[in-house]
Each structure stands twice: as C-alpha cells, then as structure tokens.
Amino acid sequence: MARSKLGARTPVMEAALGFALGAVGGYILGATEDPVDKTLSVMTSEGLMKPVMDEVRTVGALGLGTLVGATAITTAMTSAVAGVILAAAAASIFVATRSCGTSHTDCVGLWASAGLAGAFGTTLSGATLGVTIEWIVTNLGMVALLWALSIFTMLKPPLHFLLKFIWQQGEVCCSQGPVASAREREQKETEAKETQQRERVATQMEHRILMLEKGGKADGTEHRTAWEAERRQREEMERERREREEAEMEQRTIQDWINNVVLKHVDFLAFSGIPMTMLAIVTSGFGVYGYAGHQSVFIALLALVMIIPYLLLKSPDFKFWMMAGCVGMLATFVIAMLTLHAEQEVVTAAMRMQAAGRNRPRDVISARMNYRASLEALNAGFFVAKLCQLGLGATVGGPLVRRGAGQGKVIVGAALVAGVLLAGVEAVAPVLGEGGKAGALLGVVGAAGVSVGGAAAVAGGWSSWPGTLGTVAGLVVGALGMGKWHFVNIGLQVPVAYVFAMTNPF
C-alpha cells in the first residue's frame, strides 16, 4: 500500500486525528440515511406507484428495470456533473479575480466558494430533474419518459461542444478583465523601476570613473552607503518579482487543473449515459412493439451488456466516462434482473398456490406482478442512484485531499455544507414535491460523498497503519451510529466511496 505522509505525527496522533476526521465523514453519510429512506418509502407507496404499475404491461419487467435504472443513474450523473462544473466556474472566477499568494492551500475563500457553488448546483440540478421526471411519469407515462431520456441523451453531445465553447469564452473574458489589466500594469511598473535603477547605477559608475580619471579621490564611505542602498533596493525588487512570478505560476497551475476537471466532466456528462440509455431503448422498445415478455428481450439485453463494455474497454484511449458508462450499464442490468426476479417470484408463488388447490384470479396475479416489479425497480434504481452520487462525490473529495487542499477543509467543510443542504431540503420539501425532494436528497448525498471521499483519501495517505485503521474505524462507526446501524446500506456505500475516492478521473 503506497503511502504519502500527511504530516510528521506519531502513530497515536495519526490514529486519533484520523478517527476524528473519519467520524465526521461517516456522520454526515449516516445523517442522509433516514431522510432518503423516508422519501423512498413515500415514493413507493401504492398510490404514487400507480403510473409506473400501469406501464409494466407495456414495456415489460426488463424494459421497466432498464428504464428506471437508466433514468435514475443519468439523473445522479447529471446533477453531480452540474455541481462540479459550477464549482469549477466559481473557483476559476476566484482565481482570475484575486491573488492567492504563493500557496493556494491557504485560500479558504477559494475552496469555500467552489464548495458552496458545487453543492448548491448539485442539489438544485437534482431537484429540477426530480420534479421533471415526476411530472412526466405522472402525466405522460413511462413511454414518454423513454422518449425524454432518449432526447436528452441525443442532446448531450451537442451540449458538450456548447459547454466547452462557453468555458473557453469565459477564460478569454477573465484573461482580459480589469484584474488581469491591473496585474499587467503592476508588472510594467516593476519593470520601469528596474530600468530606472539600472540607469542610476550606471550613472553612478560613470561618475566615479570620471573622478578617478581626473585624479580626484572619491569619498569611500559615501559610495559604500549609496551602493548598500542600491543593493537593498535591488534585492527588494528581485524578491517582489520572484513572489509575483510564483503567485502567477501557482494561479496558472490551479487554472490548468480547473480546466482539466471541467473538460473531463463535460465529456463525462455527454457520453457516460449512452450505454444505459441504449439498454433502456432496446428493452423498452421490444415491449412497446408487443414483445415485453419474449425471450428475445433478455437475449438482446445480455448481448448489449457483453458487447458494449468489451468495445469500450478495448479502446486504446480509455477515459473516465467509459469506466463510468460501463459501471452504470452493469448497474442498470442488475436493476433489470431484480425487477424480472420480483415478477417471477409472484408467478412462482401463484403456481404453488394453484398446486395446493388455492386458485387466484388472473387479474389479481397480474396486478401483484406489476406491483412487485414496480416496487423492486424503484427501490433498486434509487439505491443505485444514491451509490452513484456518493461515488461521484468521492471522486471529487479524494483528489482534492491528495492535491493538498487541506484534509480538514475538505472533510469538515463538505460535511457542514451537506448538513445545511439537508436541513434546507427538509424545510422546502412541501414545495419540491416527492420527486423534487428525492432529486435534491441525491445532491445532498453527493456533497456528503465529497466528505467521505476526503476521509478515504486521508486513510490511504497516513504514514502508519494506526492512522489508516483509525480513519476507517471513525468512518464506519460514524456512518453506522448516525445511520441507525443500517449494516447492509452502509456496508455497501463505504467500499464504493473508497474505490471512487482512490480513482483519479482528472
């Protein structure tokens, strides 16, 4: 296990500090469990599930599973990327308009503005998508949701180029803004002072040479005093020039990293959802054309799950969005299988009752099949979307800590922001509705994922095993304690967050 020292501390101090930081990340992760579970319980009540149940016979169990899974994962990915891009924009404006000195790790304002913008953007985007999806399903049905998902997926590649163009224009505006002009003016003034000093020194040297040529005797004390003053002034100007160059280099480094983050996430936004959407289109299309229960649906689904990852993984220029697309597609496949399994369980139970001489009406069995399939699709889809949002948040928090943004700033700051957002979502829940609240809570989970990812990065960065074990223990204990000891949920979320935190998509 490769380790990079986070500080010169004793193992006991590392373990104590790691436990405290891990507990903060775990605490905010556990705090999201109860609100998310309550929202999911309301969304899966029989009354709200009726529009979904009515469409199961149209698109089939596999079609419903892939459609719900693709929609949920696309929502999570889109809201997470929206938050990252907004955070990058806030950080870029901060860097372009202010000087952070020679060390950007001390710029609390930089990380605070980026963190607040990112968390707000993720939550707002999730709420907007949640309200939109709820309205489409309630008023137009699942087939309309399929059309909306397909159109949104087709619009993302053009949006990819538009976002890149807007970002480039923003960079040009920042480079030509008043702050850039002030920096250029300051540089010219410094260069003018240096030129004046060189001319003054040259004049003094010429004057002394002329005096010596005429046989005069120069006052040594006076000349030494003048030379000392010139030397001190020259050293001061050299120090100011060096500090200015270091600050400009540091700001260029930050801006280059921000640009790289934006470009990676714009690519991620544009292309990562295509594999999941293809599954939804194919399986739901079979159902729309009357083949919802045919074996060909499963064969086509299995073929896509095997072929698409093979082609992506075989690419010589493998990118983060390809990995995320493969993971999302496999998650969609799992949701479809769980949905089909739930429906088959009802069929198996009905056959057993029939064998025992207790026949049930066909319409009752059909309604029960639709209900179980819809319930499983929504439960699995929402849980996978939560894991996706948590993982994407961890991919932000982990690299930030490893880059040197400050372990305490990232972990504690993200936890505080997530806590404030959680309270805010609960306060405006009546306005958002169930769909909007669910989407907003996914955004809060993403903000919590930044804290958890930072804690995971800290666990992997200590110079001793007690520090690593202490951080992991704090993370697990905090998550379980605040999450009301949901061992299965927390047990799945913490490893996912750790894996994504150790992944560097930039």
Side-chain angles (χ1 to χ4, degrees), residues 85-105:
I85 293 176
L86 192 58
S92 182
I93 293 173
F94 190 96
V95 170
T97 56
R98 301 188 185 186
S99 176
C100 291
T102 57
S103 177
H104 72 278
T105 58

Side-chain angles (χ1 to χ4, degrees), residues 278-499:
M278 288 182 63
L279 293 187
I281 292 173
V282 171
T283 54
S284 300
F286 272 98
V288 171
Y289 285 101
Y291 297 95
H294 201 272
Q295 292 182 349
S296 56
V297 184
F298 180 76
I299 295 172
L301 177 62
L302 193 59
L304 287 173
V305 170
M306 294 174 63
I307 294 172
I308 294 178
Y310 173 77
L311 295 176
L312 292 177
L313 293 173
K314 195 178 178 182
S315 172
D317 186 21
F318 190 75
K319 298 180 180 179
F320 177 67
W321 74 260
M322 296 180 180
M323 183 199 76
C326 291
V327 173
M329 188 180 61
L330 292 176
T332 303
F333 176 75
V334 171
I335 295 171
M337 290 296 99
L338 290 174
T339 305
L340 180 63
H341 177 69
E343 188 179 72
Q344 292 300 319
E345 279 187 333
V346 176
V347 175
T348 302
M351 291 176 64
R352 289 175 180 172
M353 292 181 66
Q354 185 177 7
R358 292 179 294 170
N359 293 328
R360 300 181 69 182
R362 184 179 295 272
D363 57 343
V364 174
I365 297 175
S366 178
R368 185 64 180 170
M369 288 170 58
N370 295 341
Y371 173 75
R372 286 296 303 276
S374 302
L375 180 64
E376 190 64 40
L378 290 175
N379 277 322
F382 197 78
F383 182 72
V384 170
K386 182 171 68 170
L387 284 181
C388 176
Q389 193 79 298
L390 179 68
L392 292 176
T395 59
V396 175
L400 280 178
V401 169
R402 290 196 297 273
R403 185 174 173 81
Q407 46 187 316
K409 293 186 184 75
V410 174
I411 298 172
V412 178
L416 289 175
V417 171
V420 172
L421 286 176
L422 185 60
V425 170
E426 292 292 336
V428 299
V431 179
L432 294 175
E434 296 306 325
K437 183 181 178 182
L441 285 176
L442 286 180
V444 176
V445 171
V450 176
S451 183
V452 176
V458 168
W462 290 122
S463 59
S464 65
W465 282 108
T468 298
L469 297 177
T471 307
V472 174
L475 183 60
V476 173
V477 170
L480 288 175
M482 190 61 190
K484 298 182 179 179
W485 304 99
H486 291 170
F487 288 96
V488 176
N489 287 351
I490 301 298
L492 288 173
Q493 292 177 63
V494 171
V496 167
Y498 181 82
V499 170

Side-chain angles (χ1 to χ4, degrees), residues 178-192:
V179 175
S181 300
R183 289 174 183 168
E184 185 177 355
R185 186 168 57 251
E186 181 182 354
Q187 183 177 359
K188 289 181 179 179
E189 290 175 355
T190 303
E191 291 175 354

Side-chain angles (χ1 to χ4, degrees), residues 139-169:
N139 295 279
L140 303 176
M142 297 297 291
V143 177
L145 181 62
L146 174 63
W147 279 103
L149 179 63
S150 304
I151 293 172
F152 182 60
T153 303
M154 288 188 294
L155 288 177
K156 285 196 291 184
L159 182 63
H160 160 263
F161 295 104
L162 178 61
L163 287 174
K164 281 189 175 182
F165 175 77
I166 293 174
W167 184 262
Q168 291 170 356
Q169 295 303 310

